[in-house]
Amino acid sequence: MADLSVRLAALILLGVALCVAQPRGRILGGSQAEAHGRPYMASVQVNGTHLCGGFLVAEQWVLSAAHCLEHVTTNETLVQVLLGAHSLSQPEPSKRLYDVLRAVPHPGSRWDTMDHDLLLLQLSENATLGPAVKPLPWQQEDRDVAAGTLCDVAGWGVITHAGRKPDLLQYLLLPVMDRATCNLRKYHDGTVTERMMCAESKRNKDSCKGDSGGPLVCNGVAEGVVTSGPRVCGEPKKPGIYTRVASYTAWINSVMAGGAATWGKPEGQGPEEQ
C-alpha cells in the first residue's frame, strides 16, 4: 500500500511538472487579440486551410514569406487570402476570401536559407476596405529599429509545442534585440544579415509555425516579416528572426507597379514552413 501511495504521489508530481512545462497562452505565451484590432492581418490559405500569415500593404497586395508557398504549384492547389477575419471558422460580416492572381516570391529566396524570405500576393481584385480591412504602413526608411523597442506580432500559428492551432487571432509583444547581440555564438552565430532583424524569444513566448509571413509592427509600422526558418519556437537562445522590409523597398514597389514576373518558386525542396 505504501509503494502504491509513493507511486501515486510521483505520478501527481510528474503531471504537475508537465503542466508547468507546457507553453500557456497564445502564440506560445501571447494573448487573444482584440477582434479586428489589426485590420491589416491576412490568412494565406491553401485549399481552404490556414498556412501562413500575411498583411495588406495596398488594396490589391498582401506581403508574406516566400517559404510559405515553396511546395505549392498553381495547377495542384488553390491559394487564397482571407481578409477581415478574427475567427478562421466563424461567420463574420467583414470576412472575405480573395483568389490570388499573382504570387511573386523574391527572386533571391531559396528553401535552404532564410535570405530574402519575402512573397507578394496580388489579389484578384482590390480588397473591400473598411474598419476591419485596412493596409498597414510599412517602413521604407532603411535603418535599424532601436534595441529594446517593443513590437507587436500576431497570427493564427500554433500555440503549443504539441501543435495546437487557435481559431481566433493571437498576438504577442516582443522587444527588439540588436543585431550584434543576436549574432553572438550563443544565439545565431553570425547568420543574421543586415537585411534581417531579431526580437527576443522568451521562454514559451514567441511567434511559431503558421505565423510566418505576418508583420512585426513597431510604433504602428511594419518593420519586419516573420521568417520561415527551422528555428525552435520559444527557445531563449534562438531569438526570432524577421526580414526587414525597408531593405526591400525597391523590389516591393517594383512588383506592385507590375514590373516583376508572375508565379515563381525557388528551386528544390525543403523543410516544412515555420
mmCIF file with all atom_site columns, all heavy atoms in Angstrom, residues 163-187:
data_model
loop_
_atom_site.group_PDB
_atom_site.id
_atom_site.type_symbol
_atom_site.label_atom_id
_atom_site.label_alt_id
_atom_site.label_comp_id
_atom_site.label_asym_id
_atom_site.label_entity_id
_atom_site.label_seq_id
_atom_site.pdbx_PDB_ins_code
_atom_site.Cartn_x
_atom_site.Cartn_y
_atom_site.Cartn_z
_atom_site.occupancy
_atom_site.B_iso_or_equiv
_atom_site.pdbx_formal_charge
_atom_site.auth_seq_id
_atom_site.auth_comp_id
_atom_site.auth_asym_id
_atom_site.auth_atom_id
_atom_site.pdbx_PDB_model_num
ATOM 1   N N   . GLY A 1 163 ? 1.443   21.471 -31.190 1.00 0.00 ? 163 GLY A N   1
ATOM 2   C CA  . GLY A 1 163 ? 0.880   21.821 -32.484 1.00 0.00 ? 163 GLY A CA  1
ATOM 3   C C   . GLY A 1 163 ? -0.556  22.293 -32.471 1.00 0.00 ? 163 GLY A C   1
ATOM 4   O O   . GLY A 1 163 ? -1.182  22.396 -33.523 1.00 0.00 ? 163 GLY A O   1
ATOM 5   N N   . ARG A 1 164 ? -1.102  22.602 -31.284 1.00 0.00 ? 164 ARG A N   1
ATOM 6   C CA  . ARG A 1 164 ? -2.494  23.054 -31.236 1.00 0.00 ? 164 ARG A CA  1
ATOM 7   C C   . ARG A 1 164 ? -2.629  24.412 -31.905 1.00 0.00 ? 164 ARG A C   1
ATOM 8   O O   . ARG A 1 164 ? -1.828  25.322 -31.687 1.00 0.00 ? 164 ARG A O   1
ATOM 9   C CB  . ARG A 1 164 ? -2.986  23.138 -29.784 1.00 0.00 ? 164 ARG A CB  1
ATOM 10  C CG  . ARG A 1 164 ? -4.476  23.444 -29.683 1.00 0.00 ? 164 ARG A CG  1
ATOM 11  C CD  . ARG A 1 164 ? -5.016  23.090 -28.300 1.00 0.00 ? 164 ARG A CD  1
ATOM 12  N NE  . ARG A 1 164 ? -4.493  23.957 -27.257 1.00 0.00 ? 164 ARG A NE  1
ATOM 13  C CZ  . ARG A 1 164 ? -5.066  25.100 -26.884 1.00 0.00 ? 164 ARG A CZ  1
ATOM 14  N NH1 . ARG A 1 164 ? -6.160  25.506 -27.493 1.00 0.00 ? 164 ARG A NH1 1
ATOM 15  N NH2 . ARG A 1 164 ? -4.562  25.821 -25.919 1.00 0.00 ? 164 ARG A NH2 1
ATOM 16  N N   . LYS A 1 165 ? -3.652  24.549 -32.746 1.00 0.00 ? 165 LYS A N   1
ATOM 17  C CA  . LYS A 1 165 ? -3.850  25.774 -33.508 1.00 0.00 ? 165 LYS A CA  1
ATOM 18  C C   . LYS A 1 165 ? -5.047  26.543 -32.973 1.00 0.00 ? 165 LYS A C   1
ATOM 19  O O   . LYS A 1 165 ? -6.057  25.953 -32.607 1.00 0.00 ? 165 LYS A O   1
ATOM 20  C CB  . LYS A 1 165 ? -4.064  25.434 -34.991 1.00 0.00 ? 165 LYS A CB  1
ATOM 21  C CG  . LYS A 1 165 ? -2.891  24.707 -35.616 1.00 0.00 ? 165 LYS A CG  1
ATOM 22  C CD  . LYS A 1 165 ? -3.198  24.312 -37.053 1.00 0.00 ? 165 LYS A CD  1
ATOM 23  C CE  . LYS A 1 165 ? -2.034  23.531 -37.661 1.00 0.00 ? 165 LYS A CE  1
ATOM 24  N NZ  . LYS A 1 165 ? -2.328  23.112 -39.048 1.00 0.00 ? 165 LYS A NZ  1
ATOM 25  N N   . PRO A 1 166 ? -4.961  27.872 -32.960 1.00 0.00 ? 166 PRO A N   1
ATOM 26  C CA  . PRO A 1 166 ? -6.095  28.678 -32.477 1.00 0.00 ? 166 PRO A CA  1
ATOM 27  C C   . PRO A 1 166 ? -7.079  28.958 -33.601 1.00 0.00 ? 166 PRO A C   1
ATOM 28  O O   . PRO A 1 166 ? -6.740  28.882 -34.784 1.00 0.00 ? 166 PRO A O   1
ATOM 29  C CB  . PRO A 1 166 ? -5.418  29.973 -32.031 1.00 0.00 ? 166 PRO A CB  1
ATOM 30  C CG  . PRO A 1 166 ? -4.300  30.128 -33.028 1.00 0.00 ? 166 PRO A CG  1
ATOM 31  C CD  . PRO A 1 166 ? -3.810  28.718 -33.322 1.00 0.00 ? 166 PRO A CD  1
ATOM 32  N N   . ASP A 1 167 ? -8.296  29.305 -33.227 1.00 0.00 ? 167 ASP A N   1
ATOM 33  C CA  . ASP A 1 167 ? -9.272  29.760 -34.213 1.00 0.00 ? 167 ASP A CA  1
ATOM 34  C C   . ASP A 1 167 ? -9.294  31.285 -34.272 1.00 0.00 ? 167 ASP A C   1
ATOM 35  O O   . ASP A 1 167 ? -9.557  31.867 -35.312 1.00 0.00 ? 167 ASP A O   1
ATOM 36  C CB  . ASP A 1 167 ? -10.661 29.231 -33.860 1.00 0.00 ? 167 ASP A CB  1
ATOM 37  C CG  . ASP A 1 167 ? -11.716 29.672 -34.860 1.00 0.00 ? 167 ASP A CG  1
ATOM 38  O OD1 . ASP A 1 167 ? -11.585 29.311 -36.054 1.00 0.00 ? 167 ASP A OD1 1
ATOM 39  O OD2 . ASP A 1 167 ? -12.656 30.375 -34.474 1.00 0.00 ? 167 ASP A OD2 1
ATOM 40  N N   . LEU A 1 168 ? -8.984  31.914 -33.141 1.00 0.00 ? 168 LEU A N   1
ATOM 41  C CA  . LEU A 1 168 ? -9.005  33.369 -33.051 1.00 0.00 ? 168 LEU A CA  1
ATOM 42  C C   . LEU A 1 168 ? -7.591  33.935 -33.140 1.00 0.00 ? 168 LEU A C   1
ATOM 43  O O   . LEU A 1 168 ? -6.629  33.311 -32.681 1.00 0.00 ? 168 LEU A O   1
ATOM 44  C CB  . LEU A 1 168 ? -9.653  33.811 -31.738 1.00 0.00 ? 168 LEU A CB  1
ATOM 45  C CG  . LEU A 1 168 ? -11.079 33.303 -31.490 1.00 0.00 ? 168 LEU A CG  1
ATOM 46  C CD1 . LEU A 1 168 ? -11.587 33.775 -30.142 1.00 0.00 ? 168 LEU A CD1 1
ATOM 47  C CD2 . LEU A 1 168 ? -12.029 33.749 -32.596 1.00 0.00 ? 168 LEU A CD2 1
ATOM 48  N N   . LEU A 1 169 ? -7.467  35.117 -33.712 1.00 0.00 ? 169 LEU A N   1
ATOM 49  C CA  . LEU A 1 169 ? -6.161  35.761 -33.877 1.00 0.00 ? 169 LEU A CA  1
ATOM 50  C C   . LEU A 1 169 ? -5.495  35.984 -32.518 1.00 0.00 ? 169 LEU A C   1
ATOM 51  O O   . LEU A 1 169 ? -6.140  36.421 -31.561 1.00 0.00 ? 169 LEU A O   1
ATOM 52  C CB  . LEU A 1 169 ? -6.339  37.090 -34.601 1.00 0.00 ? 169 LEU A CB  1
ATOM 53  C CG  . LEU A 1 169 ? -5.047  37.854 -34.924 1.00 0.00 ? 169 LEU A CG  1
ATOM 54  C CD1 . LEU A 1 169 ? -4.227  37.103 -35.968 1.00 0.00 ? 169 LEU A CD1 1
ATOM 55  C CD2 . LEU A 1 169 ? -5.377  39.266 -35.430 1.00 0.00 ? 169 LEU A CD2 1
ATOM 56  N N   . GLN A 1 170 ? -4.200  35.693 -32.470 1.00 0.00 ? 170 GLN A N   1
ATOM 57  C CA  . GLN A 1 170 ? -3.409  35.859 -31.252 1.00 0.00 ? 170 GLN A CA  1
ATOM 58  C C   . GLN A 1 170 ? -2.330  36.909 -31.486 1.00 0.00 ? 170 GLN A C   1
ATOM 59  O O   . GLN A 1 170 ? -1.943  37.176 -32.626 1.00 0.00 ? 170 GLN A O   1
ATOM 60  C CB  . GLN A 1 170 ? -2.746  34.537 -30.865 1.00 0.00 ? 170 GLN A CB  1
ATOM 61  C CG  . GLN A 1 170 ? -3.676  33.343 -30.872 1.00 0.00 ? 170 GLN A CG  1
ATOM 62  C CD  . GLN A 1 170 ? -4.759  33.436 -29.831 1.00 0.00 ? 170 GLN A CD  1
ATOM 63  O OE1 . GLN A 1 170 ? -4.501  33.782 -28.684 1.00 0.00 ? 170 GLN A OE1 1
ATOM 64  N NE2 . GLN A 1 170 ? -5.986  33.123 -30.229 1.00 0.00 ? 170 GLN A NE2 1
ATOM 65  N N   . TYR A 1 171 ? -1.826  37.497 -30.392 1.00 0.00 ? 171 TYR A N   1
ATOM 66  C CA  . TYR A 1 171 ? -0.744  38.467 -30.548 1.00 0.00 ? 171 TYR A CA  1
ATOM 67  C C   . TYR A 1 171 ? 0.228   38.365 -29.377 1.00 0.00 ? 171 TYR A C   1
ATOM 68  O O   . TYR A 1 171 ? -0.068  37.768 -28.338 1.00 0.00 ? 171 TYR A O   1
ATOM 69  C CB  . TYR A 1 171 ? -1.290  39.893 -30.662 1.00 0.00 ? 171 TYR A CB  1
ATOM 70  C CG  . TYR A 1 171 ? -1.583  40.529 -29.311 1.00 0.00 ? 171 TYR A CG  1
ATOM 71  C CD1 . TYR A 1 171 ? -0.688  41.411 -28.718 1.00 0.00 ? 171 TYR A CD1 1
ATOM 72  C CD2 . TYR A 1 171 ? -2.759  40.229 -28.621 1.00 0.00 ? 171 TYR A CD2 1
ATOM 73  C CE1 . TYR A 1 171 ? -0.945  41.983 -27.482 1.00 0.00 ? 171 TYR A CE1 1
ATOM 74  C CE2 . TYR A 1 171 ? -3.035  40.796 -27.391 1.00 0.00 ? 171 TYR A CE2 1
ATOM 75  C CZ  . TYR A 1 171 ? -2.120  41.679 -26.827 1.00 0.00 ? 171 TYR A CZ  1
ATOM 76  O OH  . TYR A 1 171 ? -2.377  42.231 -25.597 1.00 0.00 ? 171 TYR A OH  1
ATOM 77  N N   . LEU A 1 172 ? 1.385   38.980 -29.584 1.00 0.00 ? 172 LEU A N   1
ATOM 78  C CA  . LEU A 1 172 ? 2.440   38.960 -28.568 1.00 0.00 ? 172 LEU A CA  1
ATOM 79  C C   . LEU A 1 172 ? 3.292   40.206 -28.745 1.00 0.00 ? 172 LEU A C   1
ATOM 80  O O   . LEU A 1 172 ? 3.531   40.656 -29.868 1.00 0.00 ? 172 LEU A O   1
ATOM 81  C CB  . LEU A 1 172 ? 3.298   37.710 -28.749 1.00 0.00 ? 172 LEU A CB  1
ATOM 82  C CG  . LEU A 1 172 ? 4.439   37.444 -27.770 1.00 0.00 ? 172 LEU A CG  1
ATOM 83  C CD1 . LEU A 1 172 ? 3.888   37.203 -26.364 1.00 0.00 ? 172 LEU A CD1 1
ATOM 84  C CD2 . LEU A 1 172 ? 5.244   36.232 -28.221 1.00 0.00 ? 172 LEU A CD2 1
ATOM 85  N N   . LEU A 1 173 ? 3.735   40.784 -27.633 1.00 0.00 ? 173 LEU A N   1
ATOM 86  C CA  . LEU A 1 173 ? 4.659   41.915 -27.666 1.00 0.00 ? 173 LEU A CA  1
ATOM 87  C C   . LEU A 1 173 ? 6.059   41.427 -27.341 1.00 0.00 ? 173 LEU A C   1
ATOM 88  O O   . LEU A 1 173 ? 6.260   40.737 -26.335 1.00 0.00 ? 173 LEU A O   1
ATOM 89  C CB  . LEU A 1 173 ? 4.228   42.991 -26.658 1.00 0.00 ? 173 LEU A CB  1
ATOM 90  C CG  . LEU A 1 173 ? 2.857   43.628 -26.900 1.00 0.00 ? 173 LEU A CG  1
ATOM 91  C CD1 . LEU A 1 173 ? 2.537   44.640 -25.805 1.00 0.00 ? 173 LEU A CD1 1
ATOM 92  C CD2 . LEU A 1 173 ? 2.797   44.299 -28.263 1.00 0.00 ? 173 LEU A CD2 1
ATOM 93  N N   . LEU A 1 174 ? 7.021   41.769 -28.202 1.00 0.00 ? 174 LEU A N   1
ATOM 94  C CA  . LEU A 1 174 ? 8.399   41.322 -28.022 1.00 0.00 ? 174 LEU A CA  1
ATOM 95  C C   . LEU A 1 174 ? 9.354   42.491 -28.232 1.00 0.00 ? 174 LEU A C   1
ATOM 96  O O   . LEU A 1 174 ? 9.155   43.306 -29.138 1.00 0.00 ? 174 LEU A O   1
ATOM 97  C CB  . LEU A 1 174 ? 8.743   40.211 -29.026 1.00 0.00 ? 174 LEU A CB  1
ATOM 98  C CG  . LEU A 1 174 ? 8.026   38.874 -28.866 1.00 0.00 ? 174 LEU A CG  1
ATOM 99  C CD1 . LEU A 1 174 ? 8.303   37.986 -30.073 1.00 0.00 ? 174 LEU A CD1 1
ATOM 100 C CD2 . LEU A 1 174 ? 8.465   38.181 -27.579 1.00 0.00 ? 174 LEU A CD2 1
ATOM 101 N N   . PRO A 1 175 ? 10.428  42.582 -27.421 1.00 0.00 ? 175 PRO A N   1
ATOM 102 C CA  . PRO A 1 175 ? 11.415  43.648 -27.617 1.00 0.00 ? 175 PRO A CA  1
ATOM 103 C C   . PRO A 1 175 ? 12.427  43.290 -28.703 1.00 0.00 ? 175 PRO A C   1
ATOM 104 O O   . PRO A 1 175 ? 12.834  42.134 -28.850 1.00 0.00 ? 175 PRO A O   1
ATOM 105 C CB  . PRO A 1 175 ? 12.099  43.738 -26.243 1.00 0.00 ? 175 PRO A CB  1
ATOM 106 C CG  . PRO A 1 175 ? 11.945  42.382 -25.649 1.00 0.00 ? 175 PRO A CG  1
ATOM 107 C CD  . PRO A 1 175 ? 10.658  41.811 -26.192 1.00 0.00 ? 175 PRO A CD  1
ATOM 108 N N   . VAL A 1 176 ? 12.824  44.291 -29.466 1.00 0.00 ? 176 VAL A N   1
ATOM 109 C CA  . VAL A 1 176 ? 13.842  44.108 -30.498 1.00 0.00 ? 176 VAL A CA  1
ATOM 110 C C   . VAL A 1 176 ? 15.191  43.832 -29.835 1.00 0.00 ? 176 VAL A C   1
ATOM 111 O O   . VAL A 1 176 ? 15.534  44.424 -28.814 1.00 0.00 ? 176 VAL A O   1
ATOM 112 C CB  . VAL A 1 176 ? 13.932  45.366 -31.392 1.00 0.00 ? 176 VAL A CB  1
ATOM 113 C CG1 . VAL A 1 176 ? 15.145  45.306 -32.322 1.00 0.00 ? 176 VAL A CG1 1
ATOM 114 C CG2 . VAL A 1 176 ? 12.650  45.517 -32.201 1.00 0.00 ? 176 VAL A CG2 1
ATOM 115 N N   . MET A 1 177 ? 15.956  42.920 -30.422 1.00 0.00 ? 177 MET A N   1
ATOM 116 C CA  . MET A 1 177 ? 17.329  42.633 -29.990 1.00 0.00 ? 177 MET A CA  1
ATOM 117 C C   . MET A 1 177 ? 18.282  43.167 -31.050 1.00 0.00 ? 177 MET A C   1
ATOM 118 O O   . MET A 1 177 ? 18.054  42.966 -32.251 1.00 0.00 ? 177 MET A O   1
ATOM 119 C CB  . MET A 1 177 ? 17.532  41.123 -29.822 1.00 0.00 ? 177 MET A CB  1
ATOM 120 C CG  . MET A 1 177 ? 18.968  40.725 -29.486 1.00 0.00 ? 177 MET A CG  1
ATOM 121 S SD  . MET A 1 177 ? 19.203  38.916 -29.387 1.00 0.00 ? 177 MET A SD  1
ATOM 122 C CE  . MET A 1 177 ? 18.426  38.574 -27.808 1.00 0.00 ? 177 MET A CE  1
ATOM 123 N N   . ASP A 1 178 ? 19.325  43.862 -30.625 1.00 0.00 ? 178 ASP A N   1
ATOM 124 C CA  . ASP A 1 178 ? 20.238  44.414 -31.622 1.00 0.00 ? 178 ASP A CA  1
ATOM 125 C C   . ASP A 1 178 ? 20.972  43.289 -32.360 1.00 0.00 ? 178 ASP A C   1
ATOM 126 O O   . ASP A 1 178 ? 21.196  42.208 -31.822 1.00 0.00 ? 178 ASP A O   1
ATOM 127 C CB  . ASP A 1 178 ? 21.237  45.393 -30.987 1.00 0.00 ? 178 ASP A CB  1
ATOM 128 C CG  . ASP A 1 178 ? 22.267  44.689 -30.126 1.00 0.00 ? 178 ASP A CG  1
ATOM 129 O OD1 . ASP A 1 178 ? 21.988  44.476 -28.933 1.00 0.00 ? 178 ASP A OD1 1
ATOM 130 O OD2 . ASP A 1 178 ? 23.336  44.354 -30.650 1.00 0.00 ? 178 ASP A OD2 1
ATOM 131 N N   . ARG A 1 179 ? 21.316  43.548 -33.621 1.00 0.00 ? 179 ARG A N   1
ATOM 132 C CA  . ARG A 1 179 ? 21.857  42.506 -34.493 1.00 0.00 ? 179 ARG A CA  1
ATOM 133 C C   . ARG A 1 179 ? 23.175  41.926 -33.963 1.00 0.00 ? 179 ARG A C   1
ATOM 134 O O   . ARG A 1 179 ? 23.427  40.723 -34.068 1.00 0.00 ? 179 ARG A O   1
ATOM 135 C CB  . ARG A 1 179 ? 22.057  43.050 -35.907 1.00 0.00 ? 179 ARG A CB  1
ATOM 136 C CG  . ARG A 1 179 ? 22.390  41.975 -36.935 1.00 0.00 ? 179 ARG A CG  1
ATOM 137 C CD  . ARG A 1 179 ? 22.494  42.525 -38.345 1.00 0.00 ? 179 ARG A CD  1
ATOM 138 N NE  . ARG A 1 179 ? 21.241  43.111 -38.778 1.00 0.00 ? 179 ARG A NE  1
ATOM 139 C CZ  . ARG A 1 179 ? 21.020  44.436 -38.863 1.00 0.00 ? 179 ARG A CZ  1
ATOM 140 N NH1 . ARG A 1 179 ? 21.982  45.287 -38.555 1.00 0.00 ? 179 ARG A NH1 1
ATOM 141 N NH2 . ARG A 1 179 ? 19.850  44.892 -39.245 1.00 0.00 ? 179 ARG A NH2 1
ATOM 142 N N   . ALA A 1 180 ? 24.033  42.782 -33.401 1.00 0.00 ? 180 ALA A N   1
ATOM 143 C CA  . ALA A 1 180 ? 25.319  42.299 -32.896 1.00 0.00 ? 180 ALA A CA  1
ATOM 144 C C   . ALA A 1 180 ? 25.116  41.252 -31.802 1.00 0.00 ? 180 ALA A C   1
ATOM 145 O O   . ALA A 1 180 ? 25.794  40.215 -31.780 1.00 0.00 ? 180 ALA A O   1
ATOM 146 C CB  . ALA A 1 180 ? 26.159  43.464 -32.375 1.00 0.00 ? 180 ALA A CB  1
ATOM 147 N N   . THR A 1 181 ? 24.186  41.518 -30.906 1.00 0.00 ? 181 THR A N   1
ATOM 148 C CA  . THR A 1 181 ? 23.882  40.545 -29.852 1.00 0.00 ? 181 THR A CA  1
ATOM 149 C C   . THR A 1 181 ? 23.282  39.280 -30.442 1.00 0.00 ? 181 THR A C   1
ATOM 150 O O   . THR A 1 181 ? 23.646  38.163 -30.072 1.00 0.00 ? 181 THR A O   1
ATOM 151 C CB  . THR A 1 181 ? 22.919  41.149 -28.815 1.00 0.00 ? 181 THR A CB  1
ATOM 152 O OG1 . THR A 1 181 ? 23.507  42.321 -28.243 1.00 0.00 ? 181 THR A OG1 1
ATOM 153 C CG2 . THR A 1 181 ? 22.596  40.146 -27.711 1.00 0.00 ? 181 THR A CG2 1
ATOM 154 N N   . CYS A 1 182 ? 22.349  39.458 -31.369 1.00 0.00 ? 182 CYS A N   1
ATOM 155 C CA  . CYS A 1 182 ? 21.674  38.317 -31.990 1.00 0.00 ? 182 CYS A CA  1
ATOM 156 C C   . CYS A 1 182 ? 22.666  37.424 -32.738 1.00 0.00 ? 182 CYS A C   1
ATOM 157 O O   . CYS A 1 182 ? 22.449  36.220 -32.874 1.00 0.00 ? 182 CYS A O   1
ATOM 158 C CB  . CYS A 1 182 ? 20.593  38.825 -32.934 1.00 0.00 ? 182 CYS A CB  1
ATOM 159 S SG  . CYS A 1 182 ? 19.385  37.581 -33.435 1.00 0.00 ? 182 CYS A SG  1
ATOM 160 N N   . ASN A 1 183 ? 23.763  38.009 -33.190 1.00 0.00 ? 183 ASN A N   1
ATOM 161 C CA  . ASN A 1 183 ? 24.760  37.257 -33.947 1.00 0.00 ? 183 ASN A CA  1
ATOM 162 C C   . ASN A 1 183 ? 25.844  36.624 -33.076 1.00 0.00 ? 183 ASN A C   1
ATOM 163 O O   . ASN A 1 183 ? 26.770  35.988 -33.596 1.00 0.00 ? 183 ASN A O   1
ATOM 164 C CB  . ASN A 1 183 ? 25.416  38.153 -34.997 1.00 0.00 ? 183 ASN A CB  1
ATOM 165 C CG  . ASN A 1 183 ? 24.704  38.088 -36.341 1.00 0.00 ? 183 ASN A CG  1
ATOM 166 O OD1 . ASN A 1 183 ? 24.182  37.044 -36.727 1.00 0.00 ? 183 ASN A OD1 1
ATOM 167 N ND2 . ASN A 1 183 ? 24.675  39.206 -37.051 1.00 0.00 ? 183 ASN A ND2 1
ATOM 168 N N   . LEU A 1 184 ? 25.726  36.778 -31.750 1.00 0.00 ? 184 LEU A N   1
ATOM 169 C CA  . LEU A 1 184 ? 26.692  36.124 -30.877 1.00 0.00 ? 184 LEU A CA  1
ATOM 170 C C   . LEU A 1 184 ? 26.604  34.611 -31.043 1.00 0.00 ? 184 LEU A C   1
ATOM 171 O O   . LEU A 1 184 ? 25.564  34.061 -31.402 1.00 0.00 ? 184 LEU A O   1
ATOM 172 C CB  . LEU A 1 184 ? 26.422  36.497 -29.415 1.00 0.00 ? 184 LEU A CB  1
ATOM 173 C CG  . LEU A 1 184 ? 26.667  37.960 -29.028 1.00 0.00 ? 184 LEU A CG  1
ATOM 174 C CD1 . LEU A 1 184 ? 26.249  38.198 -27.576 1.00 0.00 ? 184 LEU A CD1 1
ATOM 175 C CD2 . LEU A 1 184 ? 28.132  38.345 -29.251 1.00 0.00 ? 184 LEU A CD2 1
ATOM 176 N N   . ARG A 1 185 ? 27.694  33.936 -30.728 1.00 0.00 ? 185 ARG A N   1
ATOM 177 C CA  . ARG A 1 185 ? 27.739  32.478 -30.905 1.00 0.00 ? 185 ARG A CA  1
ATOM 178 C C   . ARG A 1 185 ? 26.634  31.774 -30.129 1.00 0.00 ? 185 ARG A C   1
ATOM 179 O O   . ARG A 1 185 ? 26.056  30.788 -30.601 1.00 0.00 ? 185 ARG A O   1
ATOM 180 C CB  . ARG A 1 185 ? 29.110  31.936 -30.477 1.00 0.00 ? 185 ARG A CB  1
ATOM 181 C CG  . ARG A 1 185 ? 29.238  30.430 -30.601 1.00 0.00 ? 185 ARG A CG  1
ATOM 182 C CD  . ARG A 1 185 ? 30.658  29.972 -30.377 1.00 0.00 ? 185 ARG A CD  1
ATOM 183 N NE  . ARG A 1 185 ? 31.539  30.451 -31.434 1.00 0.00 ? 185 ARG A NE  1
ATOM 184 C CZ  . ARG A 1 185 ? 32.843  30.131 -31.516 1.00 0.00 ? 185 ARG A CZ  1
ATOM 185 N NH1 . ARG A 1 185 ? 33.391  29.370 -30.581 1.00 0.00 ? 185 ARG A NH1 1
ATOM 186 N NH2 . ARG A 1 185 ? 33.574  30.590 -32.494 1.00 0.00 ? 185 ARG A NH2 1
ATOM 187 N N   . LYS A 1 186 ? 26.301  32.278 -28.949 1.00 0.00 ? 186 LYS A N   1
ATOM 188 C CA  . LYS A 1 186 ? 25.288  31.602 -28.134 1.00 0.00 ? 186 LYS A CA  1
ATOM 189 C C   . LYS A 1 186 ? 23.883  31.774 -28.700 1.00 0.00 ? 186 LYS A C   1
ATOM 190 O O   . LYS A 1 186 ? 22.947  31.098 -28.278 1.00 0.00 ? 186 LYS A O   1
ATOM 191 C CB  . LYS A 1 186 ? 25.326  32.106 -26.693 1.00 0.00 ? 186 LYS A CB  1
ATOM 192 C CG  . LYS A 1 186 ? 24.928  33.568 -26.525 1.00 0.00 ? 186 LYS A CG  1
ATOM 193 C CD  . LYS A 1 186 ? 24.965  33.947 -25.056 1.00 0.00 ? 186 LYS A CD  1
ATOM 194 C CE  . LYS A 1 186 ? 24.558  35.409 -24.844 1.00 0.00 ? 186 LYS A CE  1
ATOM 195 N NZ  . LYS A 1 186 ? 24.541  35.755 -23.396 1.00 0.00 ? 186 LYS A NZ  1
ATOM 196 N N   . TYR A 1 187 ? 23.723  32.699 -29.656 1.00 0.00 ? 187 TYR A N   1
ATOM 197 C CA  . TYR A 1 187 ? 22.421  32.904 -30.295 1.00 0.00 ? 187 TYR A CA  1
ATOM 198 C C   . TYR A 1 187 ? 22.469  32.384 -31.735 1.00 0.00 ? 187 TYR A C   1
ATOM 199 O O   . TYR A 1 187 ? 22.399  31.191 -31.964 1.00 0.00 ? 187 TYR A O   1
ATOM 200 C CB  . TYR A 1 187 ? 22.025  34.379 -30.225 1.00 0.00 ? 187 TYR A CB  1
ATOM 201 C CG  . TYR A 1 187 ? 21.762  34.865 -28.822 1.00 0.00 ? 187 TYR A CG  1
ATOM 202 C CD1 . TYR A 1 187 ? 22.353  36.033 -28.345 1.00 0.00 ? 187 TYR A CD1 1
ATOM 203 C CD2 . TYR A 1 187 ? 20.918  34.173 -27.958 1.00 0.00 ? 187 TYR A CD2 1
ATOM 204 C CE1 . TYR A 1 187 ? 22.110  36.482 -27.046 1.00 0.00 ? 187 TYR A CE1 1
ATOM 205 C CE2 . TYR A 1 187 ? 20.671  34.607 -26.672 1.00 0.00 ? 187 TYR A CE2 1
ATOM 206 C CZ  . TYR A 1 187 ? 21.274  35.766 -26.213 1.00 0.00 ? 187 TYR A CZ  1
ATOM 207 O OH  . TYR A 1 187 ? 21.039  36.194 -24.943 1.00 0.00 ? 187 TYR A OH  1
#
